Amino acid sequence: QVQVVESGGGVVQPGGSLRLSCAASGSIFRLVTMGWYRQAPGKERELVARITGGSRTIYRDSVKGRFAISRDSAKNTIYLQMNDLKPEDTAVYYCNVDPDGYNIWGRGTQVTVSS
């Protein structure tokens, strides 16, 4: 059974940093696209960043220059380094694996940016 497990959320002050991790079980996912989405209360889920099997990346405009997505294909794991966090980054962050195929979602991890 495929599992996607996120970790690394928490509470941080504005300007702080967090690093999220997402591990997907199964070697079939070594070269698929993986990404991070987020959903704030009362808002729709939105793409934060995505990385392809060839490590091409895309980011939403509001996080460019602050967030960085990376992957360790040997571990089927992706990371989201979040710097200079702002209150508007507060949301549940979800990992997504293989959006054009299996389209598997993790359960999410809460990120709260507050003073």
Side-chain angles (χ1 to χ4, degrees):
Q1 183 176 356
V2 176
Q3 287 188 320
V4 176
V5 180
E6 304 110 328
S7 61
V11 180
V12 64
Q13 293 185 341
S17 298
L18 285 173
R19 188 191 194 209
L20 305 183
S21 299
C22 170
S25 63
S27 61
I28 190 173
F29 298 112
R30 285 184 59 193
L31 295 177
V32 299
T33 295
M34 297 176 68
W36 290 98
Y37 290 71
R38 68 186 181 188
Q39 188 167 18
K43 295 187 177 181
E44 294 188 353
R45 191 171 298 189
E46 60 185 22
L47 174 66
V48 177
R50 181 184 287 185
I51 185 166
T52 69
S55 294
R56 294 185 65 180
T57 59
I58 60 170
Y59 297 90
R60 71 179 303 104
D61 287 346
S62 62
V63 307
K64 286 180 180 177
R66 300 188 297 122
F67 291 11
I69 189 170
S70 61
R71 74 186 297 155
D72 183 338
S73 295
K75 296 181 180 179
N76 295 346
T77 300
I78 63 169
Y79 307 94
L80 186 67
Q81 178 66 44
M82 305 186 293
N83 300 323
D84 189 23
L85 282 159
K86 305 177 185 299
E88 52 264 39
D89 295 317
T90 295
V92 178
Y93 283 69
Y94 296 90
C95 179
N96 176 256
V97 176
D98 194 19
D100 299 321
Y102 288 93
N103 194 28
I104 299 169
W105 293 89
R107 292 186 175 184
T109 184
Q110 177 70 46
V111 171
T112 302
V113 185
S114 174
S115 56

